[in-house]
Amino acid sequence: METADVVIVGAGIIGLSAGYWLAKAGAKVVVLDKGRAAQESSSRATGFLSLRGEEPLEAPLALAAERLWNTLDEELGYPTEWRQKGRLWVALGEHERDALDEKYRGFLNTGIPFERIDGERCREIAPSLSPAVIGGIHTPRSGHANPQRTTQAFAWALRDRGGAIIEERPVTGIHVAGGKVTGVATPAGDISAGVVVVAAGAQTSKVAALAHVEVPTATVRLEACVTAPLPPLFDVAMVGGGLSLRQTRRGNIHFNGGPHEWVDVELTEEPAKPNTPILRNIARRLAELMPGIRDIPLLRSWAGVLEVTPDQMTILERLSDPDGLIVASCSGHGFGMAPSAGLAISELAQHRRTSLPIEALGLSRFSTLPRDWKARRRWEPGRYNT
Ligand SMILES: Cc1cc2nc3c(=O)[nH]c(=O)nc-3n(C[C@H](O)[C@H](O)[C@H](O)COP(=O)(O)OP(=O)(O)OC[C@H]3O[C@@H](n4cnc5c(N)ncnc54)[C@H](O)[C@@H]3O)c2cc1C
């Protein structure tokens, strides 16, 4: 039987980051994926690290991620295209400005420098913004990177340090004996390990259920696209008009937006990820936000499926029942959080504890969650989240 110190289920950015830090520390680590590495959410993300001022439980781990991002290229030895150019939320019209005011109040006292700015200042930061933008919130912190390059960087660096990634190897069982994890089952045979990390993105709840652990998540499909390259227009990570957008090193505008469709996923199948007429909606929003580029062609579109936790914050915990099971679900923020979330997982796997600030991110915060929480919120397959 194959053996490892740690088996990681899922070669998305969380599993690859955890695997990298573990391999660097000298652990024998095997990362398994049902398909190709990073073929799911991680390579489909927009690429923001957002310092989560509005989500105080997660903010400390996001700040730790920011520190790691700033030297990640040197750490991994491969480029991620990380740019710490700040984040700008903009409001188109009074209604959105009221929502931003509310958001801004939540950002005060987070220790992160957020500034409430008017429309003119927004256009100084991003001159292509519409005159209809009447205000925003800006922070010089936060940043963005290239999702494909970053996941590739983690994967290559993991292998450079002696870790293994096995693709097309779905996990179909988690073995537990005497209250402890002992390994995983796959169609190609078992792999024994004293620690199993569940970092299976949209399938995290299904995989954790193999060890009789309930991880509350709902799964959702998001659509995204990229324009033809343009001259430099803005360098912040921008949120506005229902979109998240960044300009890539090559000049393309990479953006995603809603509405998002709640969907079901299966344990080992690739979730369906069609594009739909929603794309027209997303493209229209870009034209409203930046009218000067409304005629630029779209080069490529795609969709991704990710998991959302009930409070939309990360779950990251090493469980005691069963001992040796680590659960990691980053609730739609996993790309930005990956450096610190992966390091935390690596420390939990080796030492049972971590120096990273994850105390507030345990599963027990959902112990009183009603069983029908998804129905109550209408987070059910076939419905849309606008
Ligand atoms: C359009 C879009 C935009 C986004 N933008 C951002 C952003 O700007 N910033 C941000 O922080 N986040 C963003 N996200 C969210 C981010 O992509 C995810 O939170 C992050 O990629 C999660 O990483 P992961 O490794 O947990 O999951 P994934 O990348 O989904 O990887 C999980 C892996 O587990 C594998 N797997 C599943 N089941 C099994 C099994 N049974 N056996 C073996 N392997 C299995 C899957 O094949 C997959 O490769 C975005 C997501 C989308 C779709």
Side-chain angles (χ1 to χ4, degrees):
M1 192 197 304
E2 292 176 73
T3 62
D5 298 322
V6 182
V7 165
I8 298 175
V9 188
I13 195 165
I14 299 297
L16 294 171
S17 171
Y20 166 75
W21 295 110
L22 277 160
K24 182 183 178 187
K28 184 174 180 197
V29 58
V30 176
V31 186
L32 302 176
D33 204 285
K34 65 174 174 51
R36 305 298 300 271
Q39 70 170 4
E40 295 292 350
S41 217
S42 295
S43 59
R44 295 162 187 272
T46 302
F48 289 6
L49 163 70
S50 307
L51 295 179
R52 314 213 73 80
E54 73 277 38
E55 294 175 345
L57 299 188
E58 231 180 45
L61 194 61
L63 284 164
E66 186 189 44
R67 281 192 292 279
L68 292 166
W69 271 110
N70 283 330
T71 53
L72 199 60
D73 287 24
E74 292 75 18
E75 172 69 40
L76 300 179
Y78 300 101
T80 63
E81 299 186 6
W82 165 250
R83 305 175 83 186
Q84 192 188 28
K85 294 293 184 181
R87 192 170 190 221
L88 177 65
W89 288 259
V90 298
L92 281 160
E94 299 291 333
H95 177 68
E96 288 188 13
R97 185 162 61 186
D98 292 349
L100 273 195
D101 283 339
E102 176 88 0
K103 194 181 260 299
Y104 182 63
R105 279 191 286 279
F107 288 173
L108 297 170
N109 309 320
T110 56
I112 302 167
F114 291 105
E115 194 190 354
R116 193 76 179 81
I117 57 177
D118 61 18
E120 212 166 304
R121 175 79 185 110
C122 290
R123 277 177 293 281
E124 279 168 26
I125 295 169
S128 48
L129 280 170
S130 159
V133 168
I134 57 171
I137 302 174
H138 177 246
T139 174
R141 305 281 293 275
S142 300
H144 58 90
N146 178 322
Q148 283 98 22
R149 281 207 184 267
T150 305
T151 47
Q152 191 169 57
F154 271 116
W156 282 342
L158 185 164
R159 284 189 166 149
D160 291 348
R161 302 283 182 155
I165 301 168
I166 309 180
E167 299 181 311
E168 313 289 348
R169 189 92 180 258
V171 168
T172 50
I174 297 178
H175 297 303
V176 176
K180 289 185 173 172
V181 160
T182 58
V184 298
T186 80
D190 289 353
I191 304 178
S192 79
V195 177
V196 172
V197 178
V198 181
Q203 274 99 345
T204 291
S205 300
K206 303 270 181 196
V207 176
L210 297 172
H212 305 291
V213 170
E214 193 177 336
V215 178
T217 66
T219 38
V220 72
R221 182 180 55 82
L222 275 63
E223 298 191 41
C225 44
V226 71
T227 69
L230 289 157
L233 296 175
F234 62 96
D235 54 14
V236 286
M238 195 183 305
V239 178
L243 301 178
S244 299
L245 57 160
R246 72 183 186 100
Q247 189 167 22
T248 69
R249 283 265 166 102
R250 280 153 295 283
N252 321 73
I253 310 291
H254 174 174
F255 58 113
N256 80 277
H260 312 317
E261 185 188 9
W262 298 105
V263 295
D264 252 341
V265 297
E266 300 299 330
L267 176 65
T268 59
E269 276 169 34
E270 181 179 345
K273 296 180 284 288
N275 274 126
T276 72
I278 284 174
L279 267 184
R280 286 204 291 266
N281 185 41
I282 299 173
R284 177 182 50 77
R285 289 184 190 185
L286 180 66
E288 284 168 5
L289 199 61
M290 296 185 179
I293 62 165
R294 67 176 169 269
D295 294 328
I296 193 78
L298 297 182
L299 280 189
R300 195 163 64 83
S301 64
W302 64 93
V305 175
L306 57 83
E307 80 289 7
V308 183
T309 64
D311 59 10
Q312 299 182 49
M313 282 184 263
T314 293
I315 295 171
L316 183 41
E317 183 176 0
R318 178 174 171 142
L319 304 180
S320 51
D321 182 20
D323 185 26
L325 191 76
I326 297 174
V327 178
S329 169
C330 288
S331 196
H333 316 145
F335 180 80
M337 305 281 272
S340 55
L343 183 57
I345 293 167
S346 147
E347 292 181 358
L348 289 172
Q350 297 170 83
H351 316 301
R352 294 178 174 271
R353 62 179 66 86
T354 173
S355 55
L356 277 299
I358 61 159
E359 302 77 17
L361 301 177
L363 261 179
S364 60
R365 70 184 194 269
F366 303 117
S367 57
T368 57
L369 192 70
R371 295 210 71 77
D372 62 346
W373 67 277
K374 288 186 211 175
R376 289 186 191 208
R377 293 167 190 215
R378 303 179 153 240
W379 288 11
E380 290 177 304
R383 292 188 183 275
Y384 285 83
N385 181 2
T386 53

